Amino acid sequence: MDWDYLRYIHALATGGTFAKAGEILGVHQTTVLRRLDQMEEQMGIQFFERDREGLHLTPVGETAFREADRLASDMENLERQLIGQDTVPVGKVRLAATDVMVNALIGPLVSELLQAYPDIELEVLTDNDVLNLSHRDADLTLRPVNKPQATLEGDRIATIESAVYGSPDYCQRHPDMDLDNAPELNSWILPDESFSHLATGRWYRKSLKNTRSLVRCNSLQSMYSLARAGVGLAVLPCYLGDITTDLRRLTPPLEGEGVDLWLIVNNETRHMARVRLVMEFLGQRLLGLGPHIEGTA
């Protein structure tokens, strides 16, 4: 027996007429009439007697209705159970971010997250180049971007500000450096072409056209490590440069070089309870780090 037949029997018995059954099922009454004729003919069974007052169940129809009513109740209970399970934060959540964001921003929050929700499994996907962070591969993506695609949903966290940093040793060896008028006379740790889309990449091209002493890196983590080692000066996000005493901030945040930080959610998984919970958890705590990210802490 076609399971769909029971839906029609249940609606016909509940509504009492073809018109009311059609309203329950969301179809035209002629469709209901056609389906009833079809199932009675195929099965050789009369489920309803028809008269001017409406439809009346036959003994066989009453048996079918009882089963249909039981199944309808079971389906409602199953739906409630599934919805209830989905409200429990259990399962894997995939988070994509750059290495430096994991180290300086996300890392300290993960322990707190897993202590609060031990049934969540967090999978962290990292890449040095933010352009390689795919929203399709992750449930959540922490990404610096001023204008997310219109099809993406997420929360703006703060503006990532950057400044010039150098180690105490480098500063001691270059006491007369003049970053306002002659920044190119210093040794610099520069990003390679993979950073050309970032605001800091534009600052380098504008301010350090004639510098000769330089090291190029393809990751902020490498720039951070080399700057701490005293190799040269580097423009770093304030949330990264300010976390260690091995670096000194030598300028205010560079004017006009900020980029927004967004926590973007995958449209296909955004309704899952565990994804919503992790997004809210990280979003609230990252908002609390706003002054740290914007270099005003």
Side-chain angles (χ1 to χ4, degrees), residues 3-29 31-33 35-36 39 47-48 55-57 61 64-69 72:
W3 288 102
D4 202 43
Y5 287 170
L6 291 177
R7 291 179 55 243
Y8 277 80
I9 291 172
H10 191 273
L12 284 163
T14 302
T17 66
F18 291 111
K20 290 182 180 179
E23 292 177 3
I24 294 172
L25 295 167
V27 299
H28 195 271
Q29 62 180 353
T31 301
V32 181
L33 173 60
R35 290 302 299 273
L36 177 59
M39 60 183 167
F47 293 102
F48 292 91
L55 300 170
H56 307 281
L57 286 165
F65 173 71
R66 285 195 297 271
E67 287 302 307
D69 194 51

Side-chain angles (χ1 to χ4, degrees), residues 206-217:
K206 178 179 66 176
S207 303
L208 302 177
K209 293 180 180 179
N210 301 317
T211 188
R212 295 182 179 179
S213 181
L214 56 86
V215 176
R216 290 194 180 274
C217 300

Side-chain angles (χ1 to χ4, degrees), residues 79-90 269-277:
E79 182 178 358
R80 284 194 293 268
Q81 290 176 19
L82 293 176
I83 293 174
Q85 288 180 9
D86 188 54
T87 61
V88 179
V90 176
T269 60
R270 62 189 176 91
H271 295 298
M272 293 183 178
R274 60 183 182 272
V275 174
R276 294 196 306 270
L277 184 144

Side-chain angles (χ1 to χ4, degrees), residues 5-297:
Y5 287 170
L6 291 177
R7 291 179 55 243
Y8 277 80
I9 291 172
H10 191 273
L12 284 163
T14 302
T17 66
F18 291 111
K20 290 182 180 179
E23 292 177 3
I24 294 172
L25 295 167
V27 299
H28 195 271
Q29 62 180 353
T30 57
T31 301
V32 181
L33 173 60
R34 184 169 61 252
R35 290 302 299 273
L36 177 59
D37 289 341
Q38 179 185 12
M39 60 183 167
E40 287 186 335
E41 181 179 353
Q42 285 184 354
M43 301 186 68
I45 298 173
Q46 184 179 2
F47 293 102
F48 292 91
E49 293 180 353
R50 314 176 197 187
D51 57 28
R52 293 181 179 179
E53 296 180 359
L55 300 170
H56 307 281
L57 286 165
T58 64
V60 174
E62 289 179 356
T63 300
F65 173 71
R66 285 195 297 271
E67 287 302 307
D69 194 51
R70 181 184 63 80
L71 288 173
S73 178
D74 288 346
M75 291 299 293
E76 290 178 1
N77 290 334
L78 176 60
E79 182 178 358
R80 284 194 293 268
Q81 290 176 19
L82 293 176
I83 293 174
Q85 288 180 9
D86 188 54
T87 61
V88 179
V90 176
K92 180 185 294 185
V93 176
R94 300 162 299 168
L95 171 67
T98 62
D99 285 343
V100 292
M101 289 182 184
V102 172
N103 292 338
L105 295 177
I106 296 297
L109 305 179
V110 171
S111 177
E112 183 183 353
L113 170 67
L114 297 183
Q115 287 181 28
Y117 305 101
D119 293 325
I120 284 181
E121 177 186 349
L122 188 66
E123 181 177 344
V124 180
L125 312 174
T126 62
D127 197 292
N128 291 330
D129 186 353
V130 295
L131 294 181
N132 290 333
L133 296 177
S134 173
H135 308 295
R136 293 184 297 273
D137 296 334
D139 300 306
L140 299 169
T141 303
L142 190 63
R143 185 169 189 171
V145 57
N146 281 327
K147 292 183 179 180
Q149 298 175 21
T151 56
L152 299 177
E153 294 190 23
D155 296 328
R156 180 188 174 279
I157 302 300
T159 298
I160 300 174
E161 298 290 356
S162 299
V164 176
Y165 290 86
S167 70
D169 177 65
Y170 182 91
C171 294
Q172 186 176 3
R173 287 187 281 115
H174 301 82
D176 298 325
M177 59 180 167
D178 185 354
L179 295 179
D180 291 328
N181 300 304
E184 68 277 1
L185 297 181
N186 291 277
S187 298
W188 286 91
I189 305 162
L190 273 63
D192 67 9
E193 61 276 2
S194 65
F195 284 73
S196 61
H197 59 285
L198 295 180
T200 51
R202 295 194 298 269
W203 184 88
Y204 280 117
R205 293 193 300 274
K206 178 179 66 176
S207 303
L208 302 177
K209 293 180 180 179
N210 301 317
T211 188
R212 295 182 179 179
S213 181
L214 56 86
V215 176
R216 290 194 180 274
C217 300
N218 67 349
S219 78
L220 281 174
Q221 190 65 45
S222 297
M223 293 174 61
Y224 171 72
S225 298
L226 291 173
R228 290 179 65 189
V231 173
L233 304 181
V235 174
L236 299 171
C238 294
Y239 70 77
L240 181 63
D242 288 344
I243 63 175
T244 176
T245 57
D246 291 339
L247 289 175
R248 294 178 182 173
R249 192 199 293 190
L250 304 178
T251 67
L254 301 176
E255 185 176 354
E257 304 297 335
V259 59
D260 287 343
L261 179 63
W262 284 78
L263 183 60
I264 298 171
V265 62
N266 188 316
N267 286 330
E268 295 180 0
T269 60
R270 62 189 176 91
H271 295 298
M272 293 183 178
R274 60 183 182 272
V275 174
R276 294 196 306 270
L277 184 144
V278 173
M279 183 176 185
E280 292 173 2
F281 182 96
L282 293 179
Q284 290 175 359
R285 281 153 182 79
L286 287 170
L287 284 172
L289 295 176
H292 181 54
I293 297 170
E294 297 183 345
T296 59

